[in-house]
Amino acid sequence: MVKNPFEIRGLSMIKSVVSRINLVLFFISTSLLIVLLATVGCKKKSSGGDYGLKKSETLRVRIIGEPPTLDWHKSSDTTSSFIITNLMEGLVQFNYTGPEVTLSPALATSWESSEKAKVWTFQIREGVKWSDGEVFEPKHIVDGWERLLNPATASQYAYYLYGIKNAKAYNEGSLKDFSKVGLELKGNTLKVTLEKPMQFPFMLTHSSTFPVRTDIVNKYGDQWTEPQNIVTLGAYNLIKWEHDKALLATANPLFFDRPAKTKNVVFYVIQETQTAINLFDAGKIDAIRTLPPQDIPALKRRKEYIDYSILSTYYYGFNTSKAPVDNPLVRKAIIHAIDRSQIVKMMQGGQKPLSGWIPFGMFGYDPSVGLAFDPVRAKKLLQEAGYDESNPLPKIQLSFNTLDAHKKIAENVQAQLKENLGITLEIKNEEWKVYLETLKVNPTHMFRMAWVADYPDPNNFFEIQLSYGNNNRTKWKNKEYDKLIEDAVAIIADKPKRLEMYAKAHKILVNDDAPVFPIYTAVAQNLIADRVVSFPTNVMYEFRLKNTSVQ
Amino acid sequence: MNIAKLSFGQVFTLVLSGTILSAVVLNLANYEVPAGLMLAIGLELVIGLSVFAYLNNSVIYCLKRIVEAFITLLVIATFTFALLRLMPGGPFDEEKALPPEIKANIEKKYGLDKPPLTQYLNYLKGVATLEFGESYKYIGRSVGDIISESFPASFVLGLYAFVLSFVIGIPLGLFAASRHNTFWDNLAMGVSISGVALPNFLIGSVLIIIFSYWLKVLPPALWDSPIYYVLPVVTLGVRPAAFIARLTRSSVLDVIGSDYIRTAKSKGLSNFTVLYKHVLKNSLIPVLTYSGPLLAGILSGSFVIEILFAVPGIGKHLVQSVSNRDYPLILGLTLLYSVLLVVSNLIVDLLYSFFDPRISLA
């Protein structure tokens, strides 16, 4: 065909089609196709963002990302543990009703220690059912612990049970026979023999020690946590999991305790906090658990805002093998030169300054221990170390992982050190994983760290700084400190004696040697909608929703 | 109705537009589009393009390009693999340090204890069989699952934004060119400059304020029924629309001065006919060039839009997988994006000859 050279072939094709075939016929046939597919092939998607649930029966909470896993023997992040602690129970649970956090029965009805806390005996609750109707048996606890300690599981929290006799050897692979691990099950009684005395029940609040149905795990492999496969026994059952989007849980009718107060919980995956706040304002979600520090001054004025101290600390560590901070006098001079209250005031979040190692709210907290702000003394100590105008302190570096809040604090410390001590602090930030690598290989003179309590006991904090502690990046070693901590953990009943030992260790750590510079006790900051009653706000930063109701 | 006299081209266009129209209507009526329908559309496109290539004697060219594509993908895969291993920080580094025995256990499970060359060969084997392995971060989820679960949302978002950008961009550019150097031209170009210059999270936030906070007619975020599509699609489509408007305008101004247009006008054709029938068709080449990479980029998810509107798409994974050092996912996503890019470029190159018969590929 001879075509007009500047006509586009495609358009002319469509044109000729339209002119040849009745346009109406085309649309009729397409519509028929659509109707056919709609009725026969496709299903209508659930409408609205609420899964068709009644708002009066549903609590909507925001989670900051997709849970990497709901397998409680493999999870290690707060989002996963938030959901898991609502789906499952362990032998014991936290009790927040008193001034100090204690333990209440859960799957264990009672427990006692003998042989000076080297042996613990638990009575296991009867009449508990898993979500698939099967009876819960004490052996499921032992199965769970075996799975946690089995090297093939490669669980990050296997060390939680290292207190049990031979558990470490089993996890390292040197012991192959699990029956040699210190567990004895007789009927409804579980007897646990430890390597040495310790507060063992505290470890059992952690989700990694929860029981498991190995038959389900073996049947479905890594997909066993999908909603159609998973079997749990907590207050809520997992009904739906739309990856990267949301999870839906409904109250477990077979729960052994009081039924959950709110029938449905939807966990929405919303990474950006401002987006979560937009949805909060539109009435689409009821609770936001983490808020960006830079927005706190504005958010604080809202009536839905709440903040409360949690058992977590923010501190700077010193690399005690790197000059000039290998000299304790220099470290102490630096700490004395910084006014913590200035930092806390800048954060505006209600954080409490901390000069000791144990956070506010925990047994062993002591506001009088540690090095207070004293610029005069700081200068004196620096001179004692041999530094003055003619021999100035060489430049030291502070590193932290890239985050606005960390940068603000670092800049404040940098300014204070310049003003109060006349020394130069160089600050640098690195991307998270790069930062962790630096900490492992060659930490800078000072580096930013934080610690969130795994259980509400000072041992969890003190053991960080043991000379052989995995999390001790300061390279500080002190045999006297080690002995005090190792001995104190074995004392269960004699609280005053324990406190005395911890007081000694505390002084060595933050007064005498000062390999760390504690800054503040952290706070949790939430936005909770008015319609929510009794949202869990506790020092352990644990969010069990079974007692939360909505209006 | 002379059904019998239809040519292949006409039947093909009919079937293709029919299936695409059904898919769009179903999607907007909040039905799940069956995978079979999507597959049929894909098949129709492949058949259409192959027949077109055959008719144009560019089959050899096509095959050459496909072989080049495979080589390109292999090089990309190798580079990505190498760069990942060179990055400091591994997938299993956490703030609370892992006891060394446990870390060793985990690394053994994922084959990270083997020498790099073995890991590379295993990886290549996996790519060839389309088995990208399991994510290091999301336990139990295969890379294939993650991609197939997240990609549809990004695809729908990107496709609608892509279409929207043409629907707005081309008429706007054409309009501006036809009113060249008047107030309307300056206004249109002013609007499109803002579309390019303003960050899309700013445009998105303003739209959220207007439509979710003040007027309360649209939801501020999440991704469910089609009403949730509106704000993200518009926000994502604004910048490409602005680009296309500018490209169209400058190309049209270029074409409008040429001889054959003067011939058409002197023949007595109306301004409208000249503009929309002759000028427009010939100005679309630059737009076509732009739309290749645009399609690939817009389909693989816009990170900012997806975060702002909490859309469960693939953009988030593109960024986070790197922070997580999730090697299998990073490699799977890089290859996905590369494939999209390579295919889009190939289609665009083939379409050049379709739009301008003066261009021959063979």
Side-chain angles (χ1 to χ4, degrees):
Chain A
M1 276 183 280
V2 174
K3 277 211 175 345
N4 212 326
F6 45 81
E7 274 205 324
I8 299 181
R9 303 212 290 254
L11 284 180
S12 62
M13 233 196 260
I14 297 179
K15 211 178 54 172
S16 53
V17 164
V18 165
S19 62
R20 289 247 188 148
I21 301 283
N22 200 322
L23 201 62
V24 172
L25 185 67
F26 168 68
F27 277 111
I28 288 178
S29 56
T30 310
S31 321
L32 280 175
L33 175 66
I34 294 172
V35 170
L36 179 77
L37 288 168
T39 50
V40 173
C42 333
K43 27 189 175 92
K44 202 166 171 102
K45 292 195 264 197
S46 67
S47 53
D50 274 344
Y51 298 97
L53 298 168
K54 270 208 270 244
K55 189 168 166 185
S56 56
E57 292 176 343
T58 312
L59 175 64
R60 291 99 25 111
V61 292
R62 171 254 190 162
I63 51 178
I64 206 165
E66 160 84 353
T69 180
L70 291 185
D71 181 339
W72 47 89
H73 293 134
K74 295 191 181 178
S75 77
S76 59
D77 68 296
T78 50
T79 300
S80 304
S81 102
F82 174 29
I83 300 175
I84 290 168
T85 49
N86 282 294
L87 301 177
M88 270 301 293
E89 295 282 340
L91 285 178
V92 300
Q93 56 186 319
F94 284 125
N95 181 331
Y96 302 107
T97 51
E100 259 175 40
V101 181
T102 54
L103 297 177
S104 278
L107 287 175
T109 49
S110 66
W111 53 93
E112 54 182 12
S113 63
S114 51
E115 279 175 63
K116 300 218 184 127
K118 207 166 162 191
V119 174
W120 289 84
T121 311
F122 297 85
Q123 293 303 322
I124 310 297
R125 190 182 295 266
E126 294 182 66
V128 178
K129 284 219 171 96
W130 289 94
S131 56
D132 63 349
E134 293 291 322
V135 174
F136 163 74
E137 291 161 39
K139 92 166 189 66
H140 295 143
I141 300 172
V142 176
D143 288 345
W145 293 0
E146 192 279 327
R147 183 164 186 257
L148 179 67
L149 290 168
N150 194 321
T153 312
S155 170
Q156 286 191 27
Y157 275 98
Y159 70 90
Y160 250 57
L161 294 180
Y162 275 11
I164 304 178
K165 181 152 161 268
N166 292 333
K168 185 163 189 245
Y170 185 72
N171 187 239
E172 284 170 351
S174 50
L175 172 68
K176 301 273 192 241
D177 182 5
F178 188 69
S179 64
K180 294 237 168 19
V181 174
L183 301 170
E184 209 184 294
L185 195 56
K186 256 205 224 106
N188 276 348
T189 309
L190 175 64
K191 192 163 104 169
V192 183
T193 310
L194 304 177
E195 290 280 346
K196 48 182 193 186
M198 65 182 282
Q199 287 272 30
F200 184 65
F202 266 135
M203 312 306 286
L204 304 179
T205 51
H206 196 263
S207 54
S208 59
T209 63
F210 288 175
V212 77
R213 286 274 300 280
T214 43
D215 55 321
I216 301 291
V217 175
N218 293 334
K219 185 167 173 197
Y220 297 106
D222 277 332
Q223 268 72 51
W224 77 271
T225 52
E226 289 296 310
Q228 63 273 20
N229 304 332
I230 196 173
V231 174
T232 51
L233 48 70
Y236 284 97
N237 290 333
L238 182 67
I239 302 298
K240 225 180 198 219
W241 186 0
E242 295 191 295
H243 290 282
D244 292 299
K245 198 164 157 201
L247 295 97
L248 166 61
T250 51
N252 179 6
L254 298 174
F255 187 44
F256 66 84
D257 202 348
R258 271 184 324 222
K261 292 213 172 123
T262 306
K263 180 154 176 257
N264 308 303
V265 179
V266 183
F267 301 88
Y268 284 107
V269 177
I270 302 166
Q271 179 172 319
E272 175 65 32
T273 307
Q274 187 53 52
T275 306
I277 295 176
N278 293 344
L279 286 165
F280 185 82
D281 288 335
K284 295 266 197 237
I285 55 175
D286 303 311
I288 304 176
R289 296 177 312 142
T290 48
L291 301 170
Q294 59 267 28
D295 295 340
I296 293 299
L299 292 172
K300 263 176 96 156
R301 288 176 269 164
R302 298 176 66 127
K303 59 178 162 74
E304 305 99 341
Y305 172 86
I306 176 175
D307 66 36
Y308 48 97
S309 282
I310 54 174
L311 297 180
S312 163
T313 59
Y314 189 105
Y315 66 95
Y316 285 164
F318 287 97
N319 182 346
T320 60
S321 68
K322 220 179 204 159
V325 296
D326 53 342
N327 186 340
L329 289 170
V330 173
R331 300 200 292 266
K332 293 201 264 193
I334 290 175
I335 298 175
H336 273 301
I338 300 173
D339 184 7
R340 295 174 181 88
S341 63
Q342 230 190 75
I343 298 176
V344 154
K345 206 156 84 173
M346 176 185 72
M347 301 297 290
Q348 289 193 58
Q351 290 90 347
K352 293 189 169 37
L354 182 67
S355 51
W357 190 236
I358 301 298
F360 173 80
M362 181 178 266
F363 162 67
Y365 169 69
D366 185 358
S368 68
V369 79
L371 303 174
F373 176 53
D374 189 343
V376 171
R377 182 156 173 75
K379 289 201 187 74
K380 187 158 151 303
L381 286 172
L382 196 61
Q383 268 180 342
E384 252 177 73
Y387 298 101
D388 54 23
E389 278 90 47
S390 57
N391 177 23
L393 188 73
K395 193 162 61 179
I396 50 178
Q397 271 191 332
L398 164 69
S399 62
F400 55 94
N401 54 303
T402 310
L403 199 68
D404 208 49
H406 302 328
K407 180 154 167 274
K408 292 232 291 262
I409 295 176
E411 285 172 346
N412 182 293
V413 167
Q414 183 186 47
Q416 286 201 53
L417 282 178
K418 194 71 184 191
E419 188 186 318
N420 299 333
L421 203 52
I423 64 174
T424 310
L425 181 72
E426 183 185 286
I427 62 177
K428 72 175 200 162
N429 59 305
E430 289 173 325
E431 187 257 340
W432 177 235
K433 291 279 184 176
V434 176
Y435 179 65
L436 289 177
E437 187 72 18
T438 308
L439 285 184
K440 211 171 33 168
V441 166
N442 183 20
T444 45
H445 301 97
M446 293 172 74
F447 47 89
R448 174 240 143 222
M449 293 287 291
W451 187 261
V452 181
D454 294 315
Y455 51 90
D457 186 271
N459 183 58
N460 188 235
F461 280 81
F462 281 121
E463 71 179 356
I464 301 169
Q465 292 299 126
L466 288 169
S467 54
Y468 48 86
N470 274 324
N471 289 292
N472 181 357
R473 323 264 190 198
T474 63
K475 308 194 195 299
W476 174 72
K477 297 189 202 309
N478 185 308
K479 286 244 171 343
E480 195 192 333
Y481 176 86
D482 286 354
K483 180 122 186 14
L484 281 166
I485 302 307
E486 287 161 7
D487 289 343
V489 77
I491 303 174
I492 308 299
D494 193 348
K495 251 184 156 185
K497 175 129 201 309
R498 211 167 167 237
L499 193 59
E500 194 192 309
M501 297 177 81
Y502 279 143
K504 280 207 193 103
H506 217 164
K507 189 164 161 298
I508 297 176
L509 181 63
V510 290
N511 281 76
D512 301 338
D513 287 4
V516 291
F517 166 40
I519 302 185
Y520 63 72
T521 303
V523 288
Q525 295 152 328
N526 309 145
L527 272 185
I528 315 285
D530 290 335
R531 68 184 281 257
V532 179
V533 180
S534 299
F535 192 76
T537 53
N538 53 65
V539 292
M540 285 307 295
Y541 203 58
E542 184 191 59
F543 295 91
R544 287 194 142 164
L545 301 169
K546 49 188 176 176
N547 293 322
T548 308
S549 53
V550 291
Q551 291 158 347
Chain B
M1 290 167 282
N2 321 11
I3 300 181
K5 288 222 196 112
L6 291 175
S7 74
F8 169 80
Q10 288 151 353
V11 171
F12 172 75
T13 320
L14 211 65
V15 169
L16 184 66
S17 36
T19 42
I20 291 182
L21 195 61
S22 331
V24 170
V25 169
L26 280 172
N27 183 247
L28 291 178
N30 204 22
Y31 279 86
E32 289 218 25
V33 179
L37 185 60
M38 296 304 293
L39 215 63
I41 294 176
L43 215 64
E44 288 160 20
L45 286 170
V46 170
I47 293 175
L49 282 169
S50 347
V51 169
F52 177 72
Y54 174 70
L55 289 175
N56 266 31
N57 298 321
S58 42
V59 182
I60 308 285
Y61 174 77
C62 270
L63 290 176
K64 203 166 58 129
R65 286 292 299 269
I66 291 176
V67 169
E68 279 171 7
F70 272 108
I71 298 177
T72 312
L73 291 175
L74 182 66
V75 170
I76 291 173
T78 308
F79 260 125
T80 315
F81 182 90
L83 284 174
L84 283 178
R85 292 301 190 274
L86 289 173
M87 266 201 296
F92 302 108
D93 289 336
E94 303 284 334
E95 185 165 1
K96 286 190 183 175
L98 283 179
E101 310 84 33
I102 293 179
K103 187 133 187 263
N105 278 341
I106 297 178
E107 293 190 340
K108 194 160 95 169
K109 177 172 186 245
Y110 289 106
L112 287 172
D113 55 337
K114 299 206 176 59
L117 188 62
T118 319
Q119 290 187 41
Y120 175 62
L121 292 172
N122 283 338
Y123 161 65
L124 281 186
K125 201 162 52 169
V127 169
T129 54
L130 288 183
E131 291 270 321
F132 291 96
E134 272 187 19
S135 159
Y136 290 166
K137 173 94 180 169
Y138 301 104
I139 300 179
R141 283 178 80 195
S142 69
V143 170
D145 279 345
I146 295 177
I147 293 181
S148 61
E149 280 159 10
S150 323
F151 190 61
S154 291
F155 182 76
V156 168
L157 174 59
L159 198 65
Y160 285 147
F162 185 71
V163 168
L164 184 75
S165 63
F166 277 83
V167 164
I168 295 180
I170 294 182
L172 188 66
L174 202 58
F175 173 72
S178 68
R179 302 273 188 278
H180 185 45
N181 278 337
T182 64
F183 164 74
W184 294 108
D185 179 22
N186 293 329
L187 180 68
M189 281 305 104
V191 166
S192 65
I193 282 231
S194 343
V196 170
L198 289 174
N200 50 13
F201 57 81
L202 179 60
I203 297 176
S205 303
V206 169
L207 290 176
I208 292 176
I209 293 179
I210 299 177
F211 291 98
S212 302
Y213 271 86
W214 292 347
L215 300 178
K216 294 200 194 344
V217 288
L218 291 175
L222 297 180
W223 185 258
D224 255 302
S225 51
I227 200 162
Y228 290 86
Y229 299 173
V230 177
L231 286 182
V233 165
V234 168
T235 312
L236 186 56
V238 164
R239 173 172 288 165
F243 254 98
I244 288 173
R246 298 181 62 78
L247 277 177
T248 308
R249 174 184 173 274
S250 49
S251 178
V252 161
L253 287 176
D254 200 41
V255 165
I256 247 175
S258 34
D259 290 340
Y260 57 89
I261 297 300
R262 245 179 291 138
T263 313
K265 274 182 108 162
S266 61
K267 261 165 67 175
L269 295 172
S270 74
N271 265 338
F272 185 84
T273 317
V274 171
L275 199 59
Y276 288 94
K277 237 181 87 154
H278 299 312
V279 173
L280 177 61
K281 293 167 196 169
N282 296 293
S283 329
L284 289 183
I285 298 286
V287 177
L288 188 62
T289 314
Y290 174 65
S291 53
L294 172 68
L295 186 61
I298 218 172
L299 283 184
S300 50
S302 158
F303 176 64
V304 174
I305 303 292
E306 290 183 9
I307 292 295
L308 182 61
F309 291 99
V311 177
I314 215 159
K316 172 176 72 174
H317 287 300
L318 277 170
V319 176
Q320 280 177 353
S321 57
V322 178
S323 322
N324 292 333
R325 307 292 194 273
D326 195 349
Y327 301 153
L329 188 56
I330 298 173
L331 293 164
L333 290 172
T334 312
L335 283 177
L336 173 71
Y337 183 73
S338 313
V339 165
L340 283 176
L341 199 54
V342 161
V343 168
S344 311
N345 279 337
L346 180 59
I347 293 178
V348 161
D349 284 346
L350 285 178
L351 287 180
Y352 274 143
S353 63
F354 189 68
F355 272 74
D356 188 348
R358 293 173 294 174
I359 298 175
S360 122
L361 295 169

